[in-house]
Amino acid sequence: MKALVTGGAGFIGSHLVEYLVAQAIEVVVVDNLSMGKLDNIKQSDNVKLYIEDVRNESFMQALLQREKFDYIYFLAAVASVADSIERPCETHEINQNAVLNMLEFIRTAKLPIKQFLFTSSAAVYGNLPELPKNEDARVSPLSPYAIDKYATERYVLAYGELYQLPTVCVRFFNVYGPRQNPSSPYSGVISILTDCLRQGRVFTMYGDGLQTRDFVYIKDVIQALWLITQKSTHHQVFNIANGRELTLAHIIKTYEKITGRDLKITPMAGRLGEVKRSVASVGKLTKLGYATNWSLKQGLTQYWKGAQCETS
Ligand code: NAD
Ligand code: UD1
């Protein structure tokens, strides 16, 4: 079996690569290292890394033609909502057009894939009041990032139905864990919190801290992705989350307790285009056999332990 993981040197992608290799799957990674890191990919005979841009159509087409992948996991993206608001056109090329071009090539070249999995986001649900969000809930994408994710989902599902391609979409809620890159002000909040607590840096808090998110530990996410790969899931959408709604203020308190450190906080106005409350129903995923194994406390404790090893 052979898999392509775009964005495989990034946070979620690199954990997926590790897992696939452990299942004896041959893995090819395409990543331009804009956020990913070489160190995230462990040397193995079963992994080949191309430092390339998914927008490079001729490269991607030659790769697909040559390698004949069984599974394609499309994770490459500019993953930040705030960054997409800064540069909507550039992020659109990556977050939507690169995916569409790949689907079109798979269709026209009649490549015999077993599954094409697209990683969408909870951001598509926006600020509509119904909570928790199930996959059939109304959507209201508020940012270029969320618009691209939703529109691309529709392409992925329509390609599946119209051209009989085995496609599936997942909507990640807020994933956290080791290897999430904290280097950008647009990075995932738990990676930034970890960095601030480690280095005694000041944390900028946007808004009142009462915004909520459904934080899910990376190991639960990989469990979910593998279930979706193994089961009959074509042409469907799955939430991947923990199923608990927690405020940012609560996350900070819990993390302070775990680390025994106090976070220095500078308050700032809330960010534009953000979702205020977010929590998933994971009923559909649970029916596939999914069960969350990592509470917030367990996940943060494990993440902090790893971060401490990196420091020493
Ligand atoms: P990440 O930034 O760590 O990973 C994305 C990877 O894509 C990075 O390694 C980056 O270098 C690479 N990349 C970016 N642009 C590229 C390009 N033009 N060509 C090739 N590679 C490129 O982010 P992540 O958190 O691992 O996110 C993975 C996927 O999951 C993304 O599609 C993201 O939108 C989605 N997602 C993430 C979360 C989350 O909480 N982390 C939630 C919802 C959805
Ligand atoms: C995150 C993901 C996005 C995903 C979405 C799904 C990243 C970078 N973003 O976006 O890919 O689609 O979940 O729900 O992985 N905050 C601060 N200070 C900071 C950083 C963040 O207060 O320094 C706040 C933000 O304003 C926000 C909350 O923390 O209210 C979470 O922010 P962030 O981690 O960027 O997540 P999302 O915007 O939810």
Side-chain angles (χ1 to χ4, degrees):
M1 289 289 177
K2 203 185 267 188
L4 169 65
V5 182
T6 71
F11 163 44
I12 302 173
S14 64
H15 286 275
L16 177 63
V17 169
E18 200 171 279
Y19 189 86
L20 294 174
V21 169
Q23 310 308 310
I25 294 176
E26 214 180 305
V27 182
V28 173
V29 171
V30 176
D31 197 303
N32 68 355
L33 301 186
S34 52
M35 279 299 273
K37 291 184 186 160
L38 273 182
D39 288 355
N40 286 348
I41 304 281
K42 281 204 195 110
Q43 286 279 351
S44 154
D45 290 343
N46 266 348
V47 184
K48 212 183 314 170
L49 166 67
Y50 292 98
I51 302 173
E52 254 303 342
D53 198 300
V54 289
R55 287 170 293 184
N56 183 342
E57 251 184 272
S58 53
F59 169 82
M60 293 306 292
Q61 292 181 356
L63 180 75
L64 288 170
Q65 190 72 282
R66 193 171 67 237
E67 299 277 357
K68 302 276 184 296
F69 296 108
D70 298 290
Y71 302 111
I72 297 176
Y73 298 89
F74 208 109
L75 280 84
V78 174
S80 160
V81 172
D83 201 1
S84 80
I85 294 172
E86 291 290 322
R87 31 184 200 130
C89 291
E90 190 181 347
T91 55
H92 176 71
E93 292 298 321
I94 303 164
N95 292 356
Q96 175 157 185
N97 288 349
V99 184
L100 180 56
N101 288 337
M102 188 183 280
L103 284 170
E104 182 58 5
F105 185 70
I106 292 168
R107 171 177 92 92
T108 50
K110 297 188 170 44
L111 299 181
I113 54 166
K114 292 194 168 59
Q115 190 178 65
F116 182 98
L117 182 146
F118 172 65
T119 54
S120 181
S121 164
V124 303
Y125 294 115
N127 270 328
L128 296 172
E130 307 90 28
L131 289 170
K133 302 297 183 189
N134 68 48
E135 291 83 350
D136 297 324
R138 290 183 299 152
V139 298
S140 171
L142 300 173
S143 59
Y145 172 83
I147 293 166
D148 279 334
K149 287 292 188 187
Y150 187 64
T152 307
E153 272 186 20
R154 300 312 309 172
Y155 273 118
V156 169
L157 297 176
Y159 263 73
E161 301 275 6
L162 294 172
Y163 311 119
Q164 290 81 49
L165 293 181
T167 58
V168 63
C169 297
V170 297
R171 291 178 182 158
F172 292 139
F173 280 63
N174 288 60
V175 188
Y176 70 100
R179 300 193 206 133
Q180 190 164 27
N181 184 345
S183 70
S184 146
Y186 301 135
S187 295
V189 71
I190 293 191
S191 70
I192 295 177
L193 284 172
T194 305
D195 214 40
C196 289
L197 285 163
R198 254 172 73 179
Q199 323 244 15
R201 286 214 205 108
V202 180
F203 174 72
T204 306
M205 180 147 89
Y206 300 106
D208 54 11
L210 298 181
Q211 62 268 54
T212 64
R213 294 291 185 271
D214 185 335
F215 284 98
V216 56
Y217 193 59
I218 183 68
K219 284 198 190 296
D220 280 338
V221 170
I222 301 303
Q223 177 209 155
L225 288 175
W226 187 236
L227 273 172
I228 289 165
T229 300
Q230 286 178 308
K231 306 260 171 164
S232 171
T233 52
H234 300 160
H235 314 162
Q236 296 186 60
V237 177
F238 290 89
N239 286 339
I240 300 187
N242 187 285
R244 281 199 72 194
E245 181 180 18
L246 298 171
T247 63
L248 180 57
H250 175 86
I251 305 287
I252 292 173
K253 274 227 161 61
T254 307
Y255 215 2
E256 285 182 323
K257 258 196 211 141
I258 287 168
T259 60
R261 299 185 183 188
D262 287 330
L263 185 70
K264 294 172 215 146
I265 298 177
T266 303
M268 288 280 273
R271 280 172 168 171
L272 279 180
E274 271 208 358
V275 172
K276 179 73 181 167
R277 291 182 64 192
S278 177
V279 61
S281 156
V282 287
K284 192 169 172 187
L285 195 57
T286 306
K287 284 194 190 126
L288 291 185
Y290 173 79
T292 50
N293 291 322
W294 293 79
S295 67
L296 178 80
K297 203 169 151 198
Q298 289 168 320
L300 286 180
T301 305
Q302 185 70 17
Y303 188 11
W304 181 249
K305 263 194 216 155
Q308 291 307 94
C309 294
E310 278 170 36
T311 320
S312 54

